[in-house]
Amino acid sequence: MNKQLRAIVTVILCVLTAIGVALFITVNLSPLFIHVSAAAPLCLTRGQVQTDYWRLLAYLELPWVRHLQLQSIPITAQAHIHFRDVRHLLLIGELVSGVSLVITIWLVHKQKRQGQLWRLLLPLKWSLYLIVMLAWLPLINFSADFVAMHRVLFTNHDWLFSPQRDPIILLMPEQFFWRLFMIWLVVALLLIGTLWGWLMFELGLPKLRTNKANNRRD
């Protein structure tokens, strides 16, 4: 494989890994942002709501949890189907992230061993620009893009929840998903930025720039 092409493939896998890890972190931080107070009409305690939400997350993220069983919050068959679809997407994402991580570590190690780490800098820089540009679109009109994303990812209409029939949706209003999107974006950028910083350190560029600055002063 051409060295520059291999560098591009390595960066793509790095970005996929960062996106997947950021998604995993975001999903598991989501219990901090659910609207527990919205469950007041159901006469449930905070503990009951949190327990059921963690049961939902276990179903969505753990392959061996095959059935969604909530103790306190009622859900319809339609909601079951939607959460099953979300589960499939998340499990695929976890698999892709895990495979990407293993291959990425191997490729980066190979690039380092061959003294080719510098080839990753430019593709990684453009990847950061691309993510920021694409992320700007949801920031402009999150509501419309949120609906459009559901229409693309889900071929049915089971994601249209009724608060009366599926009160679990009250725990996850649009503001909830907005916050999760922002957390995901920040974490993904931090992970990619950390990789950038590591590359700069390995290549000795900060030290080189410091030496150049000192020489100019002299």
Side-chain angles (χ1 to χ4, degrees):
M1 183 185 296
N2 178 275
K3 291 182 178 180
Q4 191 57 45
L5 178 60
R6 186 172 65 198
I8 294 174
V9 170
T10 302
V11 168
I12 291 174
L13 290 174
C14 286
V15 172
L16 285 176
T17 301
I19 288 174
V21 172
L23 179 61
F24 179 80
I25 292 173
T26 302
V27 170
N28 287 280
L29 286 177
S30 64
L32 299 175
F33 303 98
I34 59 173
H35 287 225
V36 178
S37 59
L42 298 175
C43 299
L44 301 178
T45 65
R46 175 179 291 271
Q48 288 174 313
V49 172
Q50 292 282 0
T51 297
D52 269 0
Y53 189 77
W54 278 111
R55 284 176 174 270
L56 173 61
L57 290 188
Y59 171 73
L60 295 178
E61 295 187 285
L62 303 178
W64 57 87
V65 180
R66 298 183 177 274
H67 303 287
L68 175 59
Q69 296 178 335
L70 303 185
Q71 290 182 336
S72 305
I73 303 176
I75 58 173
T76 62
Q78 175 183 335
H80 269 283
I81 294 173
H82 177 64
F83 287 131
R84 182 197 63 195
D85 294 340
V86 174
R87 166 186 164 88
H88 291 162
L89 291 175
L90 286 178
L91 291 179
I92 291 173
E94 290 178 4
L95 177 62
V96 171
S97 298
V99 173
S100 296
L101 177 61
V102 173
I103 299 176
T104 295
I105 293 174
W106 178 73
L107 286 175
V108 170
H109 177 72
K110 188 172 183 179
Q111 295 282 88
K112 180 180 179 181
R113 183 160 42 85
Q114 296 178 349
Q116 299 293 314
L117 284 179
W118 61 273
R119 293 184 181 274
L120 304 180
L121 289 176
L122 186 59
L124 190 61
K125 180 179 179 180
W126 282 108
S127 296
L128 277 170
Y129 289 157
L130 181 61
I131 291 175
V132 172
M133 289 174 60
L134 292 177
W136 182 252
L137 298 177
L139 295 178
I140 297 174
N141 192 348
F142 183 78
S143 297
D145 290 332
F146 184 69
V147 172
M149 179 196 70
H150 277 75
R151 288 176 175 169
V152 170
L153 293 178
F154 307 106
T155 57
N156 51 45
H157 292 86
D158 292 328
W159 55 274
L160 296 171
F161 281 28
S162 167
Q164 290 74 32
R165 299 176 58 210
D166 286 302
I168 193 171
I169 195 61
L170 297 174
L171 307 178
M172 301 176 284
E174 184 178 302
Q175 185 182 15
F176 167 82
F177 291 103
W178 161 260
R179 289 175 178 173
L180 294 188
F181 173 75
M182 292 303 299
I183 292 172
W184 170 82
L185 178 60
V186 170
V187 173
L189 291 177
L190 282 176
L191 290 174
I192 298 174
T194 299
L195 176 59
W196 174 272
W198 178 79
L199 288 174
M200 296 284 283
F201 176 79
E202 286 292 323
L203 294 171
L205 296 182
K207 182 178 180 180
L208 179 61
R209 290 177 179 176
T210 302
N211 292 337
K212 286 183 177 180
N214 292 334
N215 291 336
R216 290 174 182 172
R217 290 171 188 165
D218 296 339

